[in-house]
Amino acid sequence: MTGRRALRALSLAGALALWQVLTTYDVNLWLRFEQFPTVTDVARTFARRAAGDAYWQDLADSLTRIVTGFLLAAVAGVAVGTAIARSRLVADLVGPVLEVLRPIPAIALVPVAILLFPSNEQGIVFITFTAAFFPVLVSTRHAVRALPPVWEEAVRTMGGGRWRVLGSVVLPGALPGVLGGLSVGIGVSWICVISAEMISGEYGVGYRTWQDYTVVDYPGVFVGMVTIGLLGWLTSTAVEVLGRRLTRWLPRSAVHEPPPPARRARRGTAPGPDGPGPRGRVAGPAPARVPVREETAS
């Protein structure tokens, strides 16, 4: 584990070193780096902004939006996905509408959010919710439909009702698939919330990054990009850690575990087909006993 962490840290350090070299020497080989800020420029700008209150206020606003929209999407996606997978009536009534809406990018709903909600804050949360809702919905639907029917039949045989089946079979069995949808949904949510803040926001990391671009403050733009990347990485890691804790009951893969050491035969024994035997002879199956016929006296 320590070696893997060192390797990951070395990877990040190598990427930063390459960035510093390309921007310091203004490398221009088809890709143009002469206008890019150096790592030191971005670090100085980041330190200056981190010392003020505006940076942390923007960060808190973006986190509030992403957490609110993502939690709502997680609850609604699991509930609707389970209902569609378990009920033909719900699948026929709700499924076609959702399938028509699903291909529409969440960021394309910005005009709808502006017209529909009374404030930009509610509109941005709605866009974040929409971005995460469909990945969770689809993963939940497929996970529930893939459950073996014998599990439900076993619970019903023992007298379990519909809610017992839902709580003991459906939700625990579909949990790994649901967690996959949550991991995808949190990443898509960050893409859409930042885009929504750039288009219609009044504060937040995305809004501040766009404002820096309009005034040609490229170090500030990269500070915003680095902040977005770190926030996305932290929230995705939090979802994965939560998923591992919720699925501790699942068997773990033994791919990385070393094979057990071979047991050595004791001294004085030689291996045979059925294991070690006495020294100088090979152990094998015991010879069959020949029955002795008793002769009756005449």
PDB file of all heavy atoms in Angstrom, residues 29-67:
ATOM      1  N   LEU A  29       5.147  23.349 -30.023  1.00  0.00           N
ATOM      2  CA  LEU A  29       5.226  22.274 -31.006  1.00  0.00           C
ATOM      3  C   LEU A  29       3.811  21.798 -31.282  1.00  0.00           C
ATOM      4  O   LEU A  29       3.315  20.853 -30.676  1.00  0.00           O
ATOM      5  CB  LEU A  29       6.105  21.123 -30.483  1.00  0.00           C
ATOM      6  CG  LEU A  29       7.570  21.464 -30.206  1.00  0.00           C
ATOM      7  CD1 LEU A  29       8.284  20.277 -29.584  1.00  0.00           C
ATOM      8  CD2 LEU A  29       8.272  21.879 -31.499  1.00  0.00           C
ATOM      9  N   TRP A  30       3.121  22.492 -32.199  1.00  0.00           N
ATOM     10  CA  TRP A  30       1.720  22.294 -32.527  1.00  0.00           C
ATOM     11  C   TRP A  30       0.829  22.693 -31.349  1.00  0.00           C
ATOM     12  O   TRP A  30      -0.072  23.503 -31.504  1.00  0.00           O
ATOM     13  CB  TRP A  30       1.449  20.851 -32.948  1.00  0.00           C
ATOM     14  CG  TRP A  30       0.052  20.640 -33.426  1.00  0.00           C
ATOM     15  CD1 TRP A  30      -0.555  21.239 -34.494  1.00  0.00           C
ATOM     16  CD2 TRP A  30      -0.932  19.771 -32.845  1.00  0.00           C
ATOM     17  NE1 TRP A  30      -1.836  20.809 -34.627  1.00  0.00           N
ATOM     18  CE2 TRP A  30      -2.105  19.881 -33.623  1.00  0.00           C
ATOM     19  CE3 TRP A  30      -0.939  18.899 -31.772  1.00  0.00           C
ATOM     20  CZ2 TRP A  30      -3.274  19.184 -33.342  1.00  0.00           C
ATOM     21  CZ3 TRP A  30      -2.085  18.189 -31.502  1.00  0.00           C
ATOM     22  CH2 TRP A  30      -3.243  18.337 -32.279  1.00  0.00           C
ATOM     23  N   LEU A  31       1.058  22.144 -30.164  1.00  0.00           N
ATOM     24  CA  LEU A  31       0.393  22.616 -28.950  1.00  0.00           C
ATOM     25  C   LEU A  31       1.164  23.811 -28.419  1.00  0.00           C
ATOM     26  O   LEU A  31       2.378  23.748 -28.235  1.00  0.00           O
ATOM     27  CB  LEU A  31       0.334  21.490 -27.898  1.00  0.00           C
ATOM     28  CG  LEU A  31      -0.504  20.264 -28.269  1.00  0.00           C
ATOM     29  CD1 LEU A  31      -0.398  19.210 -27.178  1.00  0.00           C
ATOM     30  CD2 LEU A  31      -1.956  20.641 -28.496  1.00  0.00           C
ATOM     31  N   ARG A  32       0.457  24.893 -28.152  1.00  0.00           N
ATOM     32  CA  ARG A  32       1.100  26.145 -27.766  1.00  0.00           C
ATOM     33  C   ARG A  32       0.988  26.349 -26.253  1.00  0.00           C
ATOM     34  O   ARG A  32      -0.104  26.404 -25.713  1.00  0.00           O
ATOM     35  CB  ARG A  32       0.458  27.319 -28.506  1.00  0.00           C
ATOM     36  CG  ARG A  32       0.535  27.204 -30.028  1.00  0.00           C
ATOM     37  CD  ARG A  32      -0.279  28.298 -30.691  1.00  0.00           C
ATOM     38  NE  ARG A  32      -1.688  28.193 -30.321  1.00  0.00           N
ATOM     39  CZ  ARG A  32      -2.608  29.098 -30.693  1.00  0.00           C
ATOM     40  NH1 ARG A  32      -2.260  30.159 -31.396  1.00  0.00           N
ATOM     41  NH2 ARG A  32      -3.873  28.931 -30.331  1.00  0.00           N
ATOM     42  N   PHE A  33       2.133  26.459 -25.629  1.00  0.00           N
ATOM     43  CA  PHE A  33       2.176  26.646 -24.184  1.00  0.00           C
ATOM     44  C   PHE A  33       2.708  28.024 -23.782  1.00  0.00           C
ATOM     45  O   PHE A  33       2.923  28.265 -22.598  1.00  0.00           O
ATOM     46  CB  PHE A  33       3.057  25.567 -23.532  1.00  0.00           C
ATOM     47  CG  PHE A  33       2.488  24.177 -23.643  1.00  0.00           C
ATOM     48  CD1 PHE A  33       2.859  23.334 -24.686  1.00  0.00           C
ATOM     49  CD2 PHE A  33       1.579  23.714 -22.714  1.00  0.00           C
ATOM     50  CE1 PHE A  33       2.346  22.061 -24.797  1.00  0.00           C
ATOM     51  CE2 PHE A  33       1.055  22.433 -22.810  1.00  0.00           C
ATOM     52  CZ  PHE A  33       1.431  21.598 -23.858  1.00  0.00           C
ATOM     53  N   GLU A  34       2.930  28.922 -24.738  1.00  0.00           N
ATOM     54  CA  GLU A  34       3.546  30.199 -24.378  1.00  0.00           C
ATOM     55  C   GLU A  34       2.616  31.091 -23.575  1.00  0.00           C
ATOM     56  O   GLU A  34       3.076  31.965 -22.831  1.00  0.00           O
ATOM     57  CB  GLU A  34       4.019  30.951 -25.638  1.00  0.00           C
ATOM     58  CG  GLU A  34       2.904  31.396 -26.574  1.00  0.00           C
ATOM     59  CD  GLU A  34       2.632  30.356 -27.641  1.00  0.00           C
ATOM     60  OE1 GLU A  34       3.117  29.222 -27.472  1.00  0.00           O
ATOM     61  OE2 GLU A  34       1.937  30.672 -28.619  1.00  0.00           O
ATOM     62  N   GLN A  35       1.297  30.896 -23.685  1.00  0.00           N
ATOM     63  CA  GLN A  35       0.357  31.707 -22.925  1.00  0.00           C
ATOM     64  C   GLN A  35      -0.141  31.020 -21.659  1.00  0.00           C
ATOM     65  O   GLN A  35      -0.903  31.604 -20.905  1.00  0.00           O
ATOM     66  CB  GLN A  35      -0.838  32.085 -23.804  1.00  0.00           C
ATOM     67  CG  GLN A  35      -0.482  32.986 -24.980  1.00  0.00           C
ATOM     68  CD  GLN A  35      -1.694  33.415 -25.758  1.00  0.00           C
ATOM     69  OE1 GLN A  35      -2.818  33.016 -25.458  1.00  0.00           O
ATOM     70  NE2 GLN A  35      -1.483  34.246 -26.771  1.00  0.00           N
ATOM     71  N   PHE A  36       0.298  29.811 -21.450  1.00  0.00           N
ATOM     72  CA  PHE A  36      -0.101  29.098 -20.236  1.00  0.00           C
ATOM     73  C   PHE A  36       0.671  29.643 -19.039  1.00  0.00           C
ATOM     74  O   PHE A  36       1.867  29.917 -19.128  1.00  0.00           O
ATOM     75  CB  PHE A  36       0.188  27.600 -20.373  1.00  0.00           C
ATOM     76  CG  PHE A  36      -0.967  26.818 -20.916  1.00  0.00           C
ATOM     77  CD1 PHE A  36      -1.626  27.231 -22.052  1.00  0.00           C
ATOM     78  CD2 PHE A  36      -1.391  25.653 -20.301  1.00  0.00           C
ATOM     79  CE1 PHE A  36      -2.680  26.510 -22.572  1.00  0.00           C
ATOM     80  CE2 PHE A  36      -2.447  24.922 -20.799  1.00  0.00           C
ATOM     81  CZ  PHE A  36      -3.097  25.347 -21.944  1.00  0.00           C
ATOM     82  N   PRO A  37       0.001  29.787 -17.877  1.00  0.00           N
ATOM     83  CA  PRO A  37       0.744  30.157 -16.665  1.00  0.00           C
ATOM     84  C   PRO A  37       1.558  28.985 -16.156  1.00  0.00           C
ATOM     85  O   PRO A  37       1.213  27.818 -16.374  1.00  0.00           O
ATOM     86  CB  PRO A  37      -0.358  30.541 -15.675  1.00  0.00           C
ATOM     87  CG  PRO A  37      -1.549  29.753 -16.126  1.00  0.00           C
ATOM     88  CD  PRO A  37      -1.446  29.653 -17.622  1.00  0.00           C
ATOM     89  N   THR A  38       2.644  29.280 -15.495  1.00  0.00           N
ATOM     90  CA  THR A  38       3.477  28.228 -14.921  1.00  0.00           C
ATOM     91  C   THR A  38       2.855  27.711 -13.620  1.00  0.00           C
ATOM     92  O   THR A  38       1.899  28.295 -13.086  1.00  0.00           O
ATOM     93  CB  THR A  38       4.884  28.748 -14.642  1.00  0.00           C
ATOM     94  OG1 THR A  38       4.799  29.810 -13.662  1.00  0.00           O
ATOM     95  CG2 THR A  38       5.530  29.291 -15.917  1.00  0.00           C
ATOM     96  N   VAL A  39       3.414  26.632 -13.138  1.00  0.00           N
ATOM     97  CA  VAL A  39       2.922  26.060 -11.876  1.00  0.00           C
ATOM     98  C   VAL A  39       3.139  27.035 -10.732  1.00  0.00           C
ATOM     99  O   VAL A  39       2.280  27.172  -9.848  1.00  0.00           O
ATOM    100  CB  VAL A  39       3.631  24.721 -11.596  1.00  0.00           C
ATOM    101  CG1 VAL A  39       3.189  24.139 -10.256  1.00  0.00           C
ATOM    102  CG2 VAL A  39       3.351  23.719 -12.714  1.00  0.00           C
ATOM    103  N   THR A  40       4.247  27.722 -10.745  1.00  0.00           N
ATOM    104  CA  THR A  40       4.514  28.688  -9.669  1.00  0.00           C
ATOM    105  C   THR A  40       3.546  29.861  -9.718  1.00  0.00           C
ATOM    106  O   THR A  40       3.128  30.362  -8.667  1.00  0.00           O
ATOM    107  CB  THR A  40       5.962  29.187  -9.777  1.00  0.00           C
ATOM    108  OG1 THR A  40       6.196  29.699 -11.104  1.00  0.00           O
ATOM    109  CG2 THR A  40       6.949  28.055  -9.497  1.00  0.00           C
ATOM    110  N   ASP A  41       3.169  30.305 -10.921  1.00  0.00           N
ATOM    111  CA  ASP A  41       2.183  31.389 -11.027  1.00  0.00           C
ATOM    112  C   ASP A  41       0.831  30.964 -10.462  1.00  0.00           C
ATOM    113  O   ASP A  41       0.179  31.723  -9.721  1.00  0.00           O
ATOM    114  CB  ASP A  41       2.019  31.814 -12.488  1.00  0.00           C
ATOM    115  CG  ASP A  41       3.272  32.467 -13.051  1.00  0.00           C
ATOM    116  OD1 ASP A  41       4.074  32.999 -12.250  1.00  0.00           O
ATOM    117  OD2 ASP A  41       3.457  32.430 -14.292  1.00  0.00           O
ATOM    118  N   VAL A  42       0.420  29.762 -10.801  1.00  0.00           N
ATOM    119  CA  VAL A  42      -0.856  29.262 -10.293  1.00  0.00           C
ATOM    120  C   VAL A  42      -0.794  29.079  -8.780  1.00  0.00           C
ATOM    121  O   VAL A  42      -1.754  29.396  -8.064  1.00  0.00           O
ATOM    122  CB  VAL A  42      -1.218  27.939 -10.990  1.00  0.00           C
ATOM    123  CG1 VAL A  42      -2.497  27.344 -10.397  1.00  0.00           C
ATOM    124  CG2 VAL A  42      -1.394  28.149 -12.494  1.00  0.00           C
ATOM    125  N   ALA A  43       0.328  28.601  -8.273  1.00  0.00           N
ATOM    126  CA  ALA A  43       0.465  28.402  -6.828  1.00  0.00           C
ATOM    127  C   ALA A  43       0.397  29.732  -6.083  1.00  0.00           C
ATOM    128  O   ALA A  43      -0.233  29.835  -5.020  1.00  0.00           O
ATOM    129  CB  ALA A  43       1.781  27.687  -6.527  1.00  0.00           C
ATOM    130  N   ARG A  44       1.051  30.769  -6.635  1.00  0.00           N
ATOM    131  CA  ARG A  44       0.986  32.089  -5.976  1.00  0.00           C
ATOM    132  C   ARG A  44      -0.438  32.638  -5.982  1.00  0.00           C
ATOM    133  O   ARG A  44      -0.903  33.197  -4.981  1.00  0.00           O
ATOM    134  CB  ARG A  44       1.937  33.053  -6.676  1.00  0.00           C
ATOM    135  CG  ARG A  44       3.412  32.842  -6.321  1.00  0.00           C
ATOM    136  CD  ARG A  44       4.245  34.025  -6.776  1.00  0.00           C
ATOM    137  NE  ARG A  44       4.261  34.123  -8.241  1.00  0.00           N
ATOM    138  CZ  ARG A  44       5.198  33.601  -9.009  1.00  0.00           C
ATOM    139  NH1 ARG A  44       6.205  32.919  -8.461  1.00  0.00           N
ATOM    140  NH2 ARG A  44       5.153  33.749 -10.324  1.00  0.00           N
ATOM    141  N   THR A  45      -1.134  32.497  -7.110  1.00  0.00           N
ATOM    142  CA  THR A  45      -2.517  32.976  -7.178  1.00  0.00           C
ATOM    143  C   THR A  45      -3.414  32.204  -6.224  1.00  0.00           C
ATOM    144  O   THR A  45      -4.286  32.781  -5.564  1.00  0.00           O
ATOM    145  CB  THR A  45      -3.046  32.853  -8.622  1.00  0.00           C
ATOM    146  OG1 THR A  45      -2.179  33.561  -9.508  1.00  0.00           O
ATOM    147  CG2 THR A  45      -4.443  33.420  -8.744  1.00  0.00           C
ATOM    148  N   PHE A  46      -3.196  30.896  -6.144  1.00  0.00           N
ATOM    149  CA  PHE A  46      -3.994  30.082  -5.232  1.00  0.00           C
ATOM    150  C   PHE A  46      -3.760  30.499  -3.780  1.00  0.00           C
ATOM    151  O   PHE A  46      -4.718  30.606  -2.991  1.00  0.00           O
ATOM    152  CB  PHE A  46      -3.646  28.613  -5.427  1.00  0.00           C
ATOM    153  CG  PHE A  46      -4.393  27.690  -4.502  1.00  0.00           C
ATOM    154  CD1 PHE A  46      -5.686  27.289  -4.793  1.00  0.00           C
ATOM    155  CD2 PHE A  46      -3.811  27.230  -3.328  1.00  0.00           C
ATOM    156  CE1 PHE A  46      -6.378  26.445  -3.945  1.00  0.00           C
ATOM    157  CE2 PHE A  46      -4.485  26.386  -2.478  1.00  0.00           C
ATOM    158  CZ  PHE A  46      -5.778  25.991  -2.786  1.00  0.00           C
ATOM    159  N   ALA A  47      -2.519  30.725  -3.414  1.00  0.00           N
ATOM    160  CA  ALA A  47      -2.220  31.141  -2.036  1.00  0.00           C
ATOM    161  C   ALA A  47      -2.850  32.490  -1.723  1.00  0.00           C
ATOM    162  O   ALA A  47      -3.368  32.703  -0.607  1.00  0.00           O
ATOM    163  CB  ALA A  47      -0.708  31.188  -1.834  1.00  0.00           C
ATOM    164  N   ARG A  48      -2.831  33.393  -2.689  1.00  0.00           N
ATOM    165  CA  ARG A  48      -3.422  34.716  -2.458  1.00  0.00           C
ATOM    166  C   ARG A  48      -4.932  34.624  -2.285  1.00  0.00           C
ATOM    167  O   ARG A  48      -5.513  35.290  -1.414  1.00  0.00           O
ATOM    168  CB  ARG A  48      -3.073  35.640  -3.621  1.00  0.00           C
ATOM    169  CG  ARG A  48      -3.547  37.085  -3.418  1.00  0.00           C
ATOM    170  CD  ARG A  48      -3.081  37.996  -4.523  1.00  0.00           C
ATOM    171  NE  ARG A  48      -3.674  37.646  -5.822  1.00  0.00           N
ATOM    172  CZ  ARG A  48      -3.018  37.061  -6.805  1.00  0.00           C
ATOM    173  NH1 ARG A  48      -1.735  36.734  -6.658  1.00  0.00           N
ATOM    174  NH2 ARG A  48      -3.626  36.783  -7.943  1.00  0.00           N
ATOM    175  N   ARG A  49      -5.577  33.809  -3.082  1.00  0.00           N
ATOM    176  CA  ARG A  49      -7.036  33.699  -2.985  1.00  0.00           C
ATOM    177  C   ARG A  49      -7.457  32.898  -1.762  1.00  0.00           C
ATOM    178  O   ARG A  49      -8.504  33.174  -1.167  1.00  0.00           O
ATOM    179  CB  ARG A  49      -7.592  33.053  -4.249  1.00  0.00           C
ATOM    180  CG  ARG A  49      -7.415  33.916  -5.482  1.00  0.00           C
ATOM    181  CD  ARG A  49      -8.261  33.441  -6.624  1.00  0.00           C
ATOM    182  NE  ARG A  49      -8.172  34.346  -7.754  1.00  0.00           N
ATOM    183  CZ  ARG A  49      -8.854  34.215  -8.872  1.00  0.00           C
ATOM    184  NH1 ARG A  49      -9.683  33.177  -9.006  1.00  0.00           N
ATOM    185  NH2 ARG A  49      -8.727  35.087  -9.855  1.00  0.00           N
ATOM    186  N   ALA A  50      -6.675  31.884  -1.408  1.00  0.00           N
ATOM    187  CA  ALA A  50      -7.022  31.091  -0.236  1.00  0.00           C
ATOM    188  C   ALA A  50      -6.949  31.918   1.039  1.00  0.00           C
ATOM    189  O   ALA A  50      -7.584  31.555   2.046  1.00  0.00           O
ATOM    190  CB  ALA A  50      -6.101  29.880  -0.129  1.00  0.00           C
ATOM    191  N   ALA A  51      -6.202  33.000   1.012  1.00  0.00           N
ATOM    192  CA  ALA A  51      -6.110  33.865   2.203  1.00  0.00           C
ATOM    193  C   ALA A  51      -7.337  34.746   2.373  1.00  0.00           C
ATOM    194  O   ALA A  51      -7.514  35.339   3.445  1.00  0.00           O
ATOM    195  CB  ALA A  51      -4.850  34.732   2.112  1.00  0.00           C
ATOM    196  N   GLY A  52      -8.185  34.857   1.351  1.00  0.00           N
ATOM    197  CA  GLY A  52      -9.390  35.682   1.437  1.00  0.00           C
ATOM    198  C   GLY A  52     -10.634  34.851   1.686  1.00  0.00           C
ATOM    199  O   GLY A  52     -10.610  33.615   1.695  1.00  0.00           O
ATOM    200  N   ASP A  53     -11.750  35.546   1.872  1.00  0.00           N
ATOM    201  CA  ASP A  53     -13.020  34.881   2.168  1.00  0.00           C
ATOM    202  C   ASP A  53     -13.801  34.529   0.915  1.00  0.00           C
ATOM    203  O   ASP A  53     -14.635  33.608   0.943  1.00  0.00           O
ATOM    204  CB  ASP A  53     -13.887  35.776   3.065  1.00  0.00           C
ATOM    205  CG  ASP A  53     -13.249  36.010   4.427  1.00  0.00           C
ATOM    206  OD1 ASP A  53     -12.466  35.133   4.862  1.00  0.00           O
ATOM    207  OD2 ASP A  53     -13.531  37.051   5.046  1.00  0.00           O
ATOM    208  N   ALA A  54     -13.578  35.237  -0.185  1.00  0.00           N
ATOM    209  CA  ALA A  54     -14.374  35.005  -1.395  1.00  0.00           C
ATOM    210  C   ALA A  54     -14.154  33.603  -1.954  1.00  0.00           C
ATOM    211  O   ALA A  54     -15.104  32.953  -2.422  1.00  0.00           O
ATOM    212  CB  ALA A  54     -14.038  36.056  -2.457  1.00  0.00           C
ATOM    213  N   TYR A  55     -12.918  33.136  -1.912  1.00  0.00           N
ATOM    214  CA  TYR A  55     -12.622  31.797  -2.450  1.00  0.00           C
ATOM    215  C   TYR A  55     -13.377  30.718  -1.687  1.00  0.00           C
ATOM    216  O   TYR A  55     -13.997  29.831  -2.289  1.00  0.00           O
ATOM    217  CB  TYR A  55     -11.115  31.555  -2.378  1.00  0.00           C
ATOM    218  CG  TYR A  55     -10.710  30.160  -2.785  1.00  0.00           C
ATOM    219  CD1 TYR A  55     -10.561  29.830  -4.127  1.00  0.00           C
ATOM    220  CD2 TYR A  55     -10.470  29.171  -1.824  1.00  0.00           C
ATOM    221  CE1 TYR A  55     -10.189  28.545  -4.503  1.00  0.00           C
ATOM    222  CE2 TYR A  55     -10.096  27.884  -2.198  1.00  0.00           C
ATOM    223  CZ  TYR A  55      -9.954  27.580  -3.529  1.00  0.00           C
ATOM    224  OH  TYR A  55      -9.589  26.312  -3.898  1.00  0.00           O
ATOM    225  N   TRP A  56     -13.361  30.793  -0.379  1.00  0.00           N
ATOM    226  CA  TRP A  56     -14.014  29.773   0.436  1.00  0.00           C
ATOM    227  C   TRP A  56     -15.534  29.892   0.354  1.00  0.00           C
ATOM    228  O   TRP A  56     -16.241  28.881   0.460  1.00  0.00           O
ATOM    229  CB  TRP A  56     -13.542  29.878   1.878  1.00  0.00           C
ATOM    230  CG  TRP A  56     -12.070  29.658   2.000  1.00  0.00           C
ATOM    231  CD1 TRP A  56     -11.112  30.608   2.228  1.00  0.00           C
ATOM    232  CD2 TRP A  56     -11.380  28.410   1.859  1.00  0.00           C
ATOM    233  NE1 TRP A  56      -9.870  30.039   2.243  1.00  0.00           N
ATOM    234  CE2 TRP A  56      -9.997  28.686   2.019  1.00  0.00           C
ATOM    235  CE3 TRP A  56     -11.784  27.106   1.615  1.00  0.00           C
ATOM    236  CZ2 TRP A  56      -9.029  27.697   1.949  1.00  0.00           C
ATOM    237  CZ3 TRP A  56     -10.826  26.111   1.538  1.00  0.00           C
ATOM    238  CH2 TRP A  56      -9.462  26.411   1.705  1.00  0.00           C
ATOM    239  N   GLN A  57     -16.042  31.094   0.139  1.00  0.00           N
ATOM    240  CA  GLN A  57     -17.484  31.254  -0.049  1.00  0.00           C
ATOM    241  C   GLN A  57     -17.943  30.605  -1.353  1.00  0.00           C
ATOM    242  O   GLN A  57     -18.971  29.915  -1.400  1.00  0.00           O
ATOM    243  CB  GLN A  57     -17.846  32.734  -0.037  1.00  0.00           C
ATOM    244  CG  GLN A  57     -19.340  33.016  -0.140  1.00  0.00           C
ATOM    245  CD  GLN A  57     -20.110  32.463   1.041  1.00  0.00           C
ATOM    246  OE1 GLN A  57     -19.677  32.575   2.190  1.00  0.00           O
ATOM    247  NE2 GLN A  57     -21.254  31.843   0.771  1.00  0.00           N
ATOM    248  N   ASP A  58     -17.158  30.812  -2.419  1.00  0.00           N
ATOM    249  CA  ASP A  58     -17.487  30.158  -3.687  1.00  0.00           C
ATOM    250  C   ASP A  58     -17.427  28.641  -3.553  1.00  0.00           C
ATOM    251  O   ASP A  58     -18.276  27.920  -4.103  1.00  0.00           O
ATOM    252  CB  ASP A  58     -16.516  30.620  -4.776  1.00  0.00           C
ATOM    253  CG  ASP A  58     -16.735  32.073  -5.160  1.00  0.00           C
ATOM    254  OD1 ASP A  58     -17.863  32.571  -4.998  1.00  0.00           O
ATOM    255  OD2 ASP A  58     -15.768  32.709  -5.630  1.00  0.00           O
ATOM    256  N   LEU A  59     -16.421  28.154  -2.855  1.00  0.00           N
ATOM    257  CA  LEU A  59     -16.286  26.712  -2.672  1.00  0.00           C
ATOM    258  C   LEU A  59     -17.469  26.147  -1.891  1.00  0.00           C
ATOM    259  O   LEU A  59     -18.014  25.098  -2.240  1.00  0.00           O
ATOM    260  CB  LEU A  59     -14.968  26.419  -1.966  1.00  0.00           C
ATOM    261  CG  LEU A  59     -14.499  24.960  -1.878  1.00  0.00           C
ATOM    262  CD1 LEU A  59     -12.987  24.902  -1.920  1.00  0.00           C
ATOM    263  CD2 LEU A  59     -14.991  24.316  -0.581  1.00  0.00           C
ATOM    264  N   ALA A  60     -17.886  26.849  -0.838  1.00  0.00           N
ATOM    265  CA  ALA A  60     -19.016  26.379  -0.039  1.00  0.00           C
ATOM    266  C   ALA A  60     -20.313  26.408  -0.846  1.00  0.00           C
ATOM    267  O   ALA A  60     -21.145  25.485  -0.733  1.00  0.00           O
ATOM    268  CB  ALA A  60     -19.159  27.237   1.220  1.00  0.00           C
ATOM    269  N   ASP A  61     -20.485  27.413  -1.682  1.00  0.00           N
ATOM    270  CA  ASP A  61     -21.703  27.496  -2.502  1.00  0.00           C
ATOM    271  C   ASP A  61     -21.772  26.347  -3.503  1.00  0.00           C
ATOM    272  O   ASP A  61     -22.826  25.715  -3.675  1.00  0.00           O
ATOM    273  CB  ASP A  61     -21.745  28.837  -3.240  1.00  0.00           C
ATOM    274  CG  ASP A  61     -21.900  30.003  -2.286  1.00  0.00           C
ATOM    275  OD1 ASP A  61     -22.463  29.813  -1.196  1.00  0.00           O
ATOM    276  OD2 ASP A  61     -21.431  31.113  -2.616  1.00  0.00           O
ATOM    277  N   SER A  62     -20.661  26.047  -4.159  1.00  0.00           N
ATOM    278  CA  SER A  62     -20.659  24.954  -5.129  1.00  0.00           C
ATOM    279  C   SER A  62     -20.882  23.611  -4.438  1.00  0.00           C
ATOM    280  O   SER A  62     -21.618  22.742  -4.952  1.00  0.00           O
ATOM    281  CB  SER A  62     -19.337  24.934  -5.903  1.00  0.00           C
ATOM    282  OG  SER A  62     -19.194  26.095  -6.699  1.00  0.00           O
ATOM    283  N   LEU A  63     -20.268  23.406  -3.285  1.00  0.00           N
ATOM    284  CA  LEU A  63     -20.466  22.152  -2.551  1.00  0.00           C
ATOM    285  C   LEU A  63     -21.910  21.998  -2.087  1.00  0.00           C
ATOM    286  O   LEU A  63     -22.468  20.891  -2.130  1.00  0.00           O
ATOM    287  CB  LEU A  63     -19.523  22.099  -1.349  1.00  0.00           C
ATOM    288  CG  LEU A  63     -18.101  21.616  -1.612  1.00  0.00           C
ATOM    289  CD1 LEU A  63     -17.269  21.688  -0.341  1.00  0.00           C
ATOM    290  CD2 LEU A  63     -18.101  20.183  -2.158  1.00  0.00           C
ATOM    291  N   THR A  64     -22.532  23.076  -1.643  1.00  0.00           N
ATOM    292  CA  THR A  64     -23.931  23.009  -1.213  1.00  0.00           C
ATOM    293  C   THR A  64     -24.824  22.610  -2.371  1.00  0.00           C
ATOM    294  O   THR A  64     -25.725  21.764  -2.229  1.00  0.00           O
ATOM    295  CB  THR A  64     -24.374  24.367  -0.647  1.00  0.00           C
ATOM    296  OG1 THR A  64     -23.539  24.719   0.460  1.00  0.00           O
ATOM    297  CG2 THR A  64     -25.814  24.319  -0.195  1.00  0.00           C
ATOM    298  N   ARG A  65     -24.576  23.185  -3.539  1.00  0.00           N
ATOM    299  CA  ARG A  65     -25.391  22.844  -4.703  1.00  0.00           C
ATOM    300  C   ARG A  65     -25.204  21.388  -5.111  1.00  0.00           C
ATOM    301  O   ARG A  65     -26.183  20.682  -5.394  1.00  0.00           O
ATOM    302  CB  ARG A  65     -25.016  23.760  -5.871  1.00  0.00           C
ATOM    303  CG  ARG A  65     -25.411  25.214  -5.661  1.00  0.00           C
ATOM    304  CD  ARG A  65     -24.697  26.116  -6.641  1.00  0.00           C
ATOM    305  NE  ARG A  65     -25.174  27.489  -6.551  1.00  0.00           N
ATOM    306  CZ  ARG A  65     -24.587  28.524  -7.151  1.00  0.00           C
ATOM    307  NH1 ARG A  65     -23.490  28.323  -7.878  1.00  0.00           N
ATOM    308  NH2 ARG A  65     -25.098  29.731  -7.035  1.00  0.00           N
ATOM    309  N   ILE A  66     -23.969  20.932  -5.144  1.00  0.00           N
ATOM    310  CA  ILE A  66     -23.713  19.575  -5.626  1.00  0.00           C
ATOM    311  C   ILE A  66     -24.246  18.545  -4.637  1.00  0.00           C
ATOM    312  O   ILE A  66     -24.817  17.526  -5.039  1.00  0.00           O
ATOM    313  CB  ILE A  66     -22.200  19.375  -5.886  1.00  0.00           C
ATOM    314  CG1 ILE A  66     -21.964  18.118  -6.734  1.00  0.00           C
ATOM    315  CG2 ILE A  66     -21.425  19.249  -4.606  1.00  0.00           C
ATOM    316  CD1 ILE A  66     -22.311  18.284  -8.158  1.00  0.00           C
ATOM    317  N   VAL A  67     -24.086  18.792  -3.349  1.00  0.00           N
ATOM    318  CA  VAL A  67     -24.559  17.822  -2.356  1.00  0.00           C
ATOM    319  C   VAL A  67     -26.083  17.761  -2.349  1.00  0.00           C
ATOM    320  O   VAL A  67     -26.678  16.669  -2.311  1.00  0.00           O
ATOM    321  CB  VAL A  67     -24.011  18.182  -0.959  1.00  0.00           C
ATOM    322  CG1 VAL A  67     -24.680  17.336   0.116  1.00  0.00           C
ATOM    323  CG2 VAL A  67     -22.499  17.984  -0.921  1.00  0.00           C
TER     324      VAL A  67
END
